[in-house]
Structure formats: C-alpha cells, structure tokens
Amino acid sequence: MPPGLRVNAVAFISAQNHPIIVRTFSAQDETTIKYHYIAHTSLDVIEERVNAAGGKSTDCYLGLLYAMEDVAVYGYITPLKVKIVLALALSDSVVRDVEINMIFKALHMAYYSSISNPFLTHNDDSVDGSRTLTVGSTKWKNFRRRIDEIARVVGNPTSTSIGGG
Amino acid sequence: MATTSKQYLTRGEDLWKGRAEKVNAELFALTYGALVVQLIQDYEDFAEVNKQLEKMGYNIGTRLIEDFLAKSGLGRCTDFREVGEVIAKVGFKSFLNIVPSVTHNAPVPNSSRPTSTGSAPQVDNGSSFVLTFDENPLAEFVELPEDVLEGGLWFSNVLCGVIRGALEMVQMQVQAEFISDVLRGDEATEIRVRLVKYLEEEVPVGDD
C-alpha cells in the first residue's frame, strides 16, 4: 500500500439516497459540510455509471468517480444499492484500483457487521426501513469505530494491526 | 484411571470433526439474535426475558445430554470437578466449537452442616466452577443498546439453561448463572455453575 494514501472522508448512502453516515478524517471541522456536498454530488455520478452499465451491474466497485480540488472520489455500490463514497487526498503516488477495492470491501464488511446487530431495529420507528435516523446513537458506535480503524490502517500501512470487524 | 485434560480436548475435537451436519455460524447468530429481540418485544421486562431464555435452555439441555452421552461415550464423572472439565472441553467443543477455560472452586465450608457420614458426593455440594469464554458464537454481531444494558439482560442466558437441564438429567441439581459478559462492558464472559445437590434416582412426576 503506497504511503501517501490518506482517507479524507467516508460516506455511506442508503438505497433511498439518504445519508447513513459521513465520517471525515481531516483536521478542520469546517470541511465536514464539504464532504456532505461531495457525497451528494457523487450520487449523480454513481447513478450515471450504474445506468450506463445497464444489465451488467454485477460489479460493486465503480472506480474513480471524479476528482475535484484536492480530493479524488471513488464509488462502490453494494448489491442492495447502498452506496459507499470514499474521498482520498490527491497525491502524486500511483493509486491502484485493487487497493481501493480492498478498502471498499473492508468498509462493506464493517457495514454488514453493524447492520447484523439484532438490536438495530429494536427501537427503530422509521417505516421505510432506512436506519439513518439512529446513526448518531450508541448502537452505531462500533460501526464508527470500525470505519476509523480502516481509515487508520490505510493511512499507516506499516502498522501490523489487523483492521477490526 | 482418570482421563486427562488433554484426552478430553482430543475427544471434543473428534466429536466436533465427526459431526456431519454443521450450521452456518452467521445464520445461527442471526437466528438467536432475532429470538432475543423478539422475546424483549414480547415480555418487555428484562428479568423475565432472562428467565425465559433460561427455560428454553433448560428444555434444550435435557435433550442435548442424550445426544452428547451417546456420541461421546463418556462414563459418569467421578466428582464435580470432572463435570466442569467435561462440560468445557468436550461439551462446548463438540456443539459450539469453543473451549471455555474452567476455574474450579471448592465448596464453601459451612460450620452448621453436620459432618457427613454419607458417600463422597456429599462433599461436593456447594462446589462450583466458573467457565470463562473468550469467544461467544451467539453474540457475533451484537451491540446492546443502553436500555437493554440498564435492564440487566444476559444475552446468552440460554447457555445457563442448557447446562442446568443437561446436568439435571444426570442427577445433578445445579445453579448456572452469568457473572459477567463482554456485551455488558465487563472484562470477560463468565458463567458460574454451582452444585446444589445430587439427585436421587426417582420416577419422574406424572409418569405413573
């Protein structure tokens, strides 16, 4: 894994295009809204790509969606149409698709582990089944922890710890 | 000749490998999780849910012991200490493929108890062992929400019932309960099993 990979943000968007979680790793708080915006604009690009693929939509990994300012945005769509958007800081080092795919797989598994919690729908009042309303609560604590762990491992490829979840 | 702990481990390993039908661990965890959540919705009282889980476990245990004794071919345990070893190394291993560690505790000496002139098993009454689990396949994806944590739910309480039911069928009356659970934020997951008394062979109620 090249040393220069820095994860700026990770966003999960539900099948109904509601944000599930947007987690940023850059220093300033002001940029959080920027990543909401990035996730939002990514939706259009993702929809475009998915429609272009047409019938052959078995590929989860969507590749580089677009690049703007100082970030490169990559997309991934799960079989149940949950979209994962990854914003990486632009760097000169070569970024390989297979590594980004690995990051997405890890994020997908973290999401899967968290929604498998049987208590998740326990207090859920939302009718449409989207779990967006409870994201801030403690039930998603482990999910946030797993995402943080993945981002940390990506940023520090020399560390020998195995990513959680 | 006492069977050594290593022999128990090997026996458990063989039994696990020899089992033709195994079930997917995630399916098992999800099923149990759905069951617990449903019980919470139905009863709404966590102490009651604990009781129901224990009852369910009891019914499972009374049946499971038959399968266990038939497949393992183990004879009667000489003392309660051995019971603990067999449960941990052969029982849990053959059914759940986990081996909890066992810590034995001698019976608490009770000065008011008359000196026993009976057979050796009397000495065991009150002895206990603690099973410490470093992994729990039932709680694979579980995170307990706050109200459940405060309510005092023991998520895997079915295991206590299984132990109680199984041992009752081999003439031991025990109390099995959780002492700590990592799901609740404790250091480890532990079940204490305490021998209350050995049961006399008697005709089951309602069989005449």
Side-chain angles (χ1 to χ4, degrees):
Chain A
M1 190 114 23
L5 262 184
R6 265 186 315 118
V7 175
N8 274 9
V10 174
F12 282 78
I13 301 148
S14 76
Q16 293 85 14
N17 289 340
H18 301 300
I20 298 176
I21 189 169
V22 177
R23 199 119 179 93
T24 57
F25 302 101
S26 25
Q28 309 90 328
D29 278 332
E30 304 96 310
T31 52
T32 308
I33 194 75
K34 167 178 154 187
Y35 292 106
H36 273 87
Y37 171 69
I38 285 183
H40 205 245
T41 50
S42 310
L43 283 178
D44 281 333
V45 186
I46 290 176
E47 207 175 304
E48 205 186 334
R49 293 276 174 99
V50 166
N51 291 339
K56 188 193 78 71
S57 50
T58 50
D59 249 359
C60 289
Y61 180 58
L62 300 171
L64 177 70
L65 299 176
Y66 63 94
M68 68 172 254
E69 294 178 10
D70 53 342
V71 288
V73 182
Y74 295 84
Y76 181 97
I77 184 162
T78 72
L80 284 183
K81 304 279 179 280
V82 171
K83 303 153 192 78
I84 311 179
V85 173
L86 184 68
L88 291 178
L90 273 179
S91 69
D92 292 332
S93 52
V94 173
V95 170
R96 283 185 302 226
D97 259 5
V98 64
E99 284 154 7
I100 310 292
N101 205 5
M102 260 168 46
I103 301 175
F104 274 126
K105 288 264 185 286
L107 288 169
H108 187 183
M109 283 300 114
Y111 178 68
Y112 166 64
S113 299
S114 299
I115 59 167
S116 300
N117 178 16
F119 289 97
L120 205 56
T121 51
H122 168 53
N123 287 325
D124 213 8
D125 294 325
S126 59
V127 176
D128 59 355
S130 69
R131 298 167 188 89
T132 62
L133 301 173
T134 55
V135 161
S137 74
T138 48
K139 280 183 258 184
W140 289 87
K141 188 162 47 100
N142 271 345
F143 186 33
R144 290 198 289 276
R145 202 171 44 83
R146 287 195 189 101
I147 297 179
D148 290 349
E149 178 74 17
I150 292 171
R152 199 180 57 78
V153 171
V154 169
N156 299 315
T158 52
S159 96
T160 50
S161 73
I162 301 168
Chain B
M1 148 167 61
T3 323
T4 64
S5 131
K6 197 143 170 276
Q7 282 175 295
Y8 281 141
L9 281 169
T10 326
R11 194 85 197 88
E13 184 73 35
D14 290 340
L15 282 172
W16 171 253
K17 296 233 177 79
R19 224 167 251 287
E21 305 137 5
K22 296 187 177 65
V23 72
N24 178 295
E26 284 175 1
L27 178 61
F28 183 58
L30 289 172
T31 305
Y32 185 70
L35 174 77
V36 175
V37 169
Q38 194 57 50
L39 280 178
I40 293 176
Q41 281 176 5
D42 289 345
Y43 286 97
E44 289 178 2
D45 168 37
F46 295 110
E48 188 61 33
V49 172
N50 283 340
K51 218 159 60 106
Q52 291 300 323
L53 286 173
E54 211 268 351
K55 258 182 24 178
M56 286 164 50
Y58 177 81
N59 289 324
I60 295 174
T62 54
R63 292 163 176 79
L64 209 60
I65 186 75
E66 297 279 354
D67 178 281
F68 177 70
L69 289 175
K71 295 234 170 74
S72 70
L74 289 173
R76 191 172 281 280
C77 291
T78 49
D79 57 12
F80 198 61
R81 191 191 174 81
E82 204 175 326
V83 171
E85 295 288 315
V86 169
I87 289 181
K89 297 191 168 68
V90 194
F92 274 96
K93 175 71 184 174
S94 64
F95 290 114
L96 290 176
N97 199 25
I98 54 174
V99 181
S101 54
V102 199
T103 329
H104 299 276
N105 295 312
V108 176
N110 187 351
S111 54
S112 62
R113 194 191 306 163
T115 39
S116 150
T117 50
S119 47
Q122 293 285 339
V123 179
D124 272 347
N125 286 6
S127 45
S128 63
F129 58 86
V130 172
L131 297 166
T132 309
F133 296 84
D134 54 5
E135 55 169 325
N136 184 357
L138 291 172
E140 187 72 40
F141 304 109
V142 177
E143 291 164 43
L144 296 181
E146 268 155 17
D147 53 341
V148 178
L149 275 171
E150 282 161 26
L153 176 80
W154 294 115
F155 187 78
S156 317
N157 213 33
V158 74
L159 296 177
C160 294
V162 171
I163 295 174
R164 183 171 73 88
L167 289 180
E168 188 162 307
M169 296 307 277
V170 282
Q171 275 75 51
M172 277 176 264
Q173 190 185 348
V174 301
Q175 254 182 343
E177 55 189 9
F178 268 93
I179 319 176
S180 62
D181 193 353
V182 291
L183 290 175
R184 296 238 241 158
D186 300 321
E187 292 284 317
T189 306
E190 293 169 327
I191 296 180
R192 183 197 289 120
V193 183
R194 199 177 65 83
L195 176 66
V196 174
K197 61 176 182 185
Y198 285 94
L199 299 166
E200 298 301 317
E201 293 267 356
E202 59 186 44
V203 177
V205 176
D207 246 25
D208 49 3

